Amino acid sequence: MNVLEINHLKKEFDGLTVLQDISLSVREGEVVSVIGPSGSGKSTLLRCATMLEHMDGGELIYMGEKAAWEERDYCVYASKEKLKHVRRHFGLVFQNFNLFPHYTVLKNIMDAPVSVDKVPREEARQQAMDLLAQLGLSDKADAYPYQLSGGQQQRVSIARALALKPKILFFDEPTSALDPELTGEVLKVIRQLAKDHMTMIIVTHEMQFARELSDRIIFMEDGVIRQQGTPEELFMAPDARVKEFIGKFAG
């Protein structure tokens, strides 16, 4: 079963094409890494997939349900009610954490399940505590984001995304704001999620991590998918441009 399907996605900003005819699908339990130079459209792809940006063309489908499609060269979105349902299928972890600074760690994680999914407060609290235990943060429930390291904040943002029990998790450069030591903490969590068969799309510059973890790697450049395949296919026999890019980061 495909959790996500994107067909012929187009996106423009001020007349400039940023994404051009992007098509990809992600199966349940699959881990897909998206790599490529800055400005290649990786983050815009994630923002379109999570409906933070409006697509200018193409089709967006979650769990067989159409969220957006093209009509007369224009992208049409499903009803507000339908989109509310579709949004429950995915979670998004940002590079800059995006935690509510005035909420405790526990409240950051509980907030959406209680207010969006109407989970009873005590049940949401128990789920949040379980997630914190899973991510090695049980002692931080009552702390505020400013009291945490960057790695701890990112783990809280992962817990917050997991609290809504998504079918697929998107990560937009989850370690780019962290120093190497803290990067390891976050990658360890993502590795565990992969072992637990969480479906994920990860935009990353961590080449070795992408190679170890991914079922498939997508190389983007200039708003198109230039090459995709298994880690072996990309790392062992890439075209000259892919080889040059990977060499810069993996060397």
Side-chain angles (χ1 to χ4, degrees):
M1 167 95 176
N2 286 335
V3 177
L4 168 68
E5 207 174 312
I6 294 172
N7 297 311
H8 309 295
L9 164 59
K10 290 181 289 197
K11 178 64 186 171
E12 294 183 354
F13 288 118
D14 301 324
L16 182 73
T17 301
V18 181
L19 295 174
Q20 190 177 330
D21 198 27
I22 298 274
S23 294
L24 66 95
S25 58
V26 183
R27 297 187 313 277
E28 202 163 353
E30 194 176 17
V31 178
V32 178
S33 290
V34 184
I35 64 172
S38 295
S40 58
K42 305 183 301 292
S43 291
T44 304
L45 171 60
L46 252 57
R47 291 179 69 80
C48 287
T50 54
M51 295 183 274
L52 292 172
E53 293 284 356
H54 197 289
M55 292 160 45
D56 293 317
E59 195 176 43
L60 179 64
I61 304 166
Y62 279 96
M63 304 297 291
E65 297 182 87
K66 278 193 186 182
W69 59 93
E70 199 167 332
E71 278 183 15
R72 298 189 194 91
D73 293 327
Y74 187 74
C75 217
V76 178
Y77 280 75
S79 67
K80 204 172 175 182
E81 200 54 43
K82 178 85 176 279
L83 289 182
K84 189 178 172 187
H85 175 72
V86 169
R87 280 191 176 94
R88 290 182 166 173
H89 293 319
F90 63 79
L92 175 59
V93 178
F94 298 90
Q95 54 184 293
N96 293 321
F97 324 133
N98 282 30
L99 297 172
F100 295 117
H102 54 295
Y103 285 1
T104 63
V105 163
L106 189 62
K107 188 165 168 51
N108 261 289
I109 299 169
M110 285 175 59
D111 187 58
V114 171
S115 59
V116 177
D117 283 356
K118 310 302 179 199
V119 174
R121 186 166 290 278
E122 196 44 52
E123 186 183 328
R125 186 181 188 285
Q126 188 54 56
Q127 283 174 4
M129 291 304 294
D130 289 347
L131 283 166
L132 286 173
Q134 185 185 329
L135 301 186
L137 293 167
S138 295
D139 58 335
K140 301 297 182 187
D142 298 323
Y144 287 86
Y146 77 90
Q147 296 172 308
L148 306 179
S149 71
Q152 289 168 335
Q153 288 186 62
Q154 191 60 296
R155 282 186 281 157
V156 172
S157 67
I158 293 170
R160 183 179 61 178
L162 288 170
L164 287 169
K165 301 181 177 165
K167 298 280 188 211
I168 182 170
L169 262 187
F170 293 91
F171 291 87
D172 187 9
E173 301 273 14
T175 60
S176 67
L178 305 176
D179 67 35
E181 193 174 344
L182 299 179
T183 291
E185 295 177 11
V186 175
L187 296 185
K188 184 178 171 190
V189 169
I190 298 173
R191 275 195 186 92
Q192 187 54 53
L193 290 173
K195 275 188 190 161
D196 296 339
H197 307 293
M198 183 76 209
T199 312
M200 294 184 278
I201 292 186
I202 307 165
V203 170
T204 184
H205 277 117
E206 300 283 340
M207 291 300 120
Q208 196 52 42
F209 175 71
R211 184 176 189 171
E212 287 170 20
L213 200 72
S214 310
D215 297 298
R216 185 155 42 103
I217 297 177
I218 291 171
F219 178 80
M220 285 184 69
E221 189 167 44
D222 301 327
V224 298
I225 293 176
R226 181 151 177 165
Q227 187 175 347
Q228 64 173 308
T230 64
E232 289 71 28
E233 285 167 342
L234 258 80
F235 276 79
M236 302 311 289
D239 73 17
R241 175 66 188 111
V242 180
K243 195 169 191 171
E244 179 198 14
F245 178 82
I246 287 174
K248 278 182 189 169
F249 286 93

